[in-house]
Each structure stands twice: as structure tokens, then as C-alpha cells.
Amino acid sequence: YEDLVRVLGSRGYSVFAYDLRGHGESEGRRGDVDRFDVHLEDLDVAWAETGRVLPGKARFLYGHSMGGFLALRLGAHPSGWWKARLAGVIVESPVTSYPLVIERTMPRSLRFTMPWIRWILRREHERIHPDLPVRYATAAIPHMGLPTVPVLGLQALEDRTLGLAHFEQLSEALAEHRTPCELHVIKGHFHSTEKDTETRKQLVEEWLQPNQKGVLL
């Protein structure tokens, strides 16, 4: 992403890169994805920091994988000072359904245990998120909400982590709710932030260009 950040910076965009708790260089249990209420609170703090440093600019959310799930949720429920500033949401190979992630990672030999596993996960979800009005079965879009601002959706064709089911769910939900969007499946692109393609960089640059200056998180 370094090339993209450099290009956007030359065009007047400010980019804030944030590692989710338990990811990258952030502290926390590694790979922690179950506490998305905590992740949302953390992102709220990150937003507040961008507001202190760069007030007045339009805001854009950019989320990859689980970050895409959080970006869609935040984009659907803007609040506080940045509610009027949110101009767009970009998601790349996004997670769009918590149950779908669980079912995809379940070994075929254990598929017969899914009713029991769903019951455990539903109970744990309600224990972890007692105040969040989203249950395990509805921890997916559009139940989690959909942004009303324009959405750029990018999907790696060679996605061996999530496959294409999540992106297909996003496409259907955006079409049903008539959310302004632009969706692309990128050939030769993988579910990874370590490798980039010219196509992905070009799509992001072209989509942001008409919006002129802004702040990406």
C-alpha cells in the first residue's frame, strides 16, 4: 500500500493506517476478531485523533477483510462530529458475515456438529456483546447495516481465505438497498496486504480523485 499512500498524499489526502487490536503491531490477543464492539470503540478513538489533527476535511473509511466488516458497520452508523464528514467507504475482500466465516473454516468432517456449534457461538456472542443489538445469526450485512454514502468494493479473484461468497453477499445487499456503489473483482489479486496490483491502486485513485482532498482511515 506504500505506493498508493504516496500517490494519495501528493494529491492532498492524509492517510491514517490503524492496526486492529491483536493485529499488526497492536497489543491484544493475536487474530482477535470476536470483540468487534471493542474494535469499533478503538476506531472511534482513532477517528477522534484525525479530527484533532486534521479538522474540516472529508472522511473516508478503508477496510480490508475483517476491517471491511467494521468499515461497513461504522459507515452505516456514523455518529458525533464525523457524521457529516463521512464521504465514502472502501472495502477490499471484506468479511460480510460472521457465521459465514465460521462455517467456511469448519472442517468437512465436523460439519455434522454445526447445530451444536451454532448454539455455543450464539451463547458466547450474547455473553460477549450483551449491549450490542446484533445477535450471532444477524452478525452479517444487511442486519449490521449498510452505508448510505458511496461504497467502493474491491474483491481479490484469487481469494483463498474468504472465497467470493462474502463479496457476492455485499453485492446483493447494496443492490437491494440501492446504495450508490462501484464494485470490482480483480484478477491476479490475492487476499493479502503484502502484495499489490496496479489495477487495485488505479481503481482506488480514480474513485477518490473526484472527491478531491480528504482523510482516509
Side-chain angles (χ1 to χ4, degrees):
Y1 290 87
E2 292 180 1
D3 288 345
L4 178 62
V5 170
R6 184 166 54 252
V7 170
L8 293 179
S10 68
R11 295 183 181 179
Y13 286 89
S14 299
V15 182
F16 287 77
Y18 173 82
D19 286 334
L20 293 175
R21 189 179 302 200
H23 296 72
E25 298 182 8
S26 291
E27 297 179 355
R29 191 178 67 182
R30 307 319 292 173
D32 194 354
V33 298
D34 55 359
R35 294 302 306 271
F36 51 81
D37 58 337
V38 173
H39 293 322
L40 291 171
E41 291 173 5
D42 290 346
L43 286 168
D44 235 3
V45 174
W47 263 134
E49 181 64 13
T50 70
R52 183 185 69 80
V53 177
L54 292 167
K57 285 189 174 183
R59 259 56 185 177
F60 298 88
L61 281 166
Y62 194 133
H64 171 263
S65 195
M66 182 56 68
F69 191 51
L70 297 171
L72 290 169
R73 172 71 181 182
L74 277 175
H77 301 279
S79 62
W81 66 270
W82 60 273
K83 183 174 183 179
R85 299 288 182 190
L86 186 63
V89 174
I90 304 172
V91 291
E92 181 180 342
S93 298
V95 169
T96 58
S97 169
Y98 190 77
L100 194 58
V101 170
I102 300 299
E103 291 173 11
R104 179 176 173 81
T105 55
M106 179 65 59
R108 289 185 178 275
S109 59
L110 296 178
R111 292 287 171 86
F112 72 94
T113 66
M114 274 308 299
W116 177 64
I117 291 173
R118 287 195 191 99
W119 178 82
I120 293 175
L121 290 171
R122 184 167 57 248
R123 184 189 64 184
E124 286 300 293
H125 179 89
E126 293 175 3
R127 180 184 65 81
I128 294 171
H129 307 288
D131 301 322
L132 195 66
V134 177
R135 301 276 66 89
Y136 170 75
T138 57
I141 62 168
H143 305 289
M144 290 286 290
L146 287 171
T148 55
V149 295
V151 174
L152 172 63
L154 307 173
Q155 174 62 45
L157 180 61
E158 287 76 24
D159 191 332
R160 300 188 181 95
T161 303
L162 296 176
L164 300 180
H166 290 266
F167 194 71
E168 291 169 354
Q169 187 175 43
L170 175 64
S171 301
E172 293 172 3
L174 292 175
E176 182 178 349
H177 289 77
R178 299 182 179 179
T179 304
C181 64
E182 184 178 321
L183 306 177
H184 301 273
V185 177
I186 306 174
K187 185 178 181 180
H189 198 51
F190 296 84
H191 190 97
S192 171
T193 57
E194 297 176 0
K195 296 182 180 179
D196 204 352
T197 60
E198 288 299 322
T199 301
R200 189 199 67 85
K201 287 188 289 186
Q202 182 179 350
L203 289 170
V204 175
E205 290 172 30
E206 291 178 351
W207 189 79
L208 285 172
Q209 192 173 14
N211 297 299
Q212 298 179 349
K213 298 180 180 180
V215 177
L216 269 76
L217 175 65

